[in-house]
Amino acid sequence: MTNETIQLTNVSIGYRTRRDIKTVASGITASICRGELTCLLGRNGAGKSTLLRTLSAFQPKLGGSITIEGRDIEDYTDKELARLLGVVLTERPNVQQMTVGEMVAMGRSPYTGFWGRLDDNDVRVVNEAIGMVGIGELTERMVTTLSDGERQKVMIAKALAQQTSIIFLDEPTAFLDYPSKVETLTLLRHISREAQKTIFLSTHDLELALQVADRLWLMTPTGIIIGTPRELADQGVLTDFIENSNGVSFDPQSLTIIVMREP
């Protein structure tokens, strides 16, 4: 039985306007697997957010095919996608007068219908999501009082309450201090394994991704290069990518980035 949940075949991503088509990346053929934490890396403007939006069905692909659990992404209804894909965006949630528990419970909206009433099963799922992320002590706190790290955990718990098999995250560590970055990515890796979720995220935290990710997608001007951190280090791919910047070097044995000091 394959662990591949998402398959991309010769996919092109970008934007259509009335007069033109802006292609950001093309010829993407790859798969994303269940039970793994996959990190998407690349320089600013490489197309990471565009790829995530395309995979999340927020914008259409320009070409090729994307299948999720053996079915073309375009064949799913919005309601089906809401039960299949959980998405955590970079933007802070703009909510007022909402507790953490209420925010996490919003993850049940694909199941509760128009009035959003929670039955006993919904309450159980919400409590399990809160427990998995370890924010039980925050349940009655107002979302507006949380730190960035706490707020990010709440959004992850909301995605878990949605009970999707796939979770996409766009720069989940963007506003966090270093300990919170480590905690968040370690938590996501744990969830991918324990709950057998397919977790795919974009990040600029390259060195941390090297230590935590099961698999890397590296967006380059010539295409996407995929492999484990060790594979990409042994192939010299990471050295080429990292040392393209002035003042840094890469140690492929320890998977660490070294900032060169001026003499």
Side-chain angles (χ1 to χ4, degrees), residues 103-166:
M103 172 62 80
V104 176
M106 288 182 66
R108 298 304 297 161
S109 59
Y111 308 92
T112 56
F114 178 78
W115 297 108
R117 295 192 179 97
L118 303 184
D119 60 21
D120 290 344
N121 179 65
D122 294 318
V123 172
R124 177 187 59 79
V125 171
V126 168
N127 289 335
E128 287 178 352
I130 289 172
M132 184 175 292
V133 179
I135 55 172
E137 75 282 0
L138 302 178
T139 304
E140 299 302 323
R141 287 265 302 275
M142 304 303 292
V143 173
T144 52
T145 70
L146 303 178
S147 68
D148 287 333
E150 290 169 337
R151 190 181 299 110
Q152 193 61 274
K153 288 182 180 180
V154 171
M155 300 312 294
I156 293 170
K158 176 176 173 287
L160 289 174
Q162 199 173 331
Q163 283 191 309
T164 61
S165 59
I166 299 164

Side-chain angles (χ1 to χ4, degrees), residues 19-80:
R19 298 181 179 180
D20 197 11
I21 296 176
K22 169 64 174 177
T23 301
V24 175
S26 61
I28 304 172
T29 297
S31 60
I32 309 173
C33 296
R34 179 185 300 108
E36 290 186 351
L37 174 63
T38 303
C39 290
L40 175 65
L41 302 165
R43 303 191 187 284
N44 288 334
K48 298 188 301 298
S49 294
T50 303
L51 178 56
L52 270 175
R53 285 195 296 270
T54 304
L55 291 175
S56 305
F58 291 164
Q59 70 182 65
K61 64 185 183 303
L62 298 181
S65 68
I66 300 173
T67 61
I68 301 178
E69 296 188 349
R71 184 176 169 189
D72 193 286
I73 191 172
E74 296 178 353
D75 292 338
Y76 285 97
T77 66
D78 289 344
K79 184 174 182 179
E80 288 172 331

Side-chain angles (χ1 to χ4, degrees), residues 200-246:
F200 184 80
L201 64 89
S202 66
T203 181
H204 282 294
D205 293 313
L206 173 57
E207 188 165 17
L208 185 54
L210 295 178
Q211 305 298 323
V212 177
D214 295 300
R215 195 168 300 274
L216 302 176
W217 285 31
L218 185 62
M219 295 193 79
T220 73
T222 58
I224 294 181
I225 305 173
I226 298 173
T228 67
R230 173 48 53 200
E231 288 170 347
L232 297 187
D234 291 345
Q235 294 167 11
V237 172
L238 290 173
T239 299
D240 292 342
F241 177 75
I242 294 168
E243 294 189 354
N244 191 38
S245 300
N246 293 328

Side-chain angles (χ1 to χ4, degrees), residues 1 8-9 14 77 79 94 117 168 175 181 189 214 240:
M1 181 177 178
L8 295 82
T9 304
T77 66
K79 184 174 182 179
N94 183 20
R117 295 192 179 97
F168 296 132
F175 302 115
K181 290 176 187 286
R189 183 177 64 178
D214 295 300
D240 292 342

Side-chain angles (χ1 to χ4, degrees), residues 6-22:
I6 304 172
Q7 292 85 34
L8 295 82
T9 304
N10 200 31
V11 170
S12 297
I13 59 173
Y15 304 88
R16 297 181 186 273
T17 66
R18 291 183 178 179
R19 298 181 179 180
D20 197 11
I21 296 176
K22 169 64 174 177

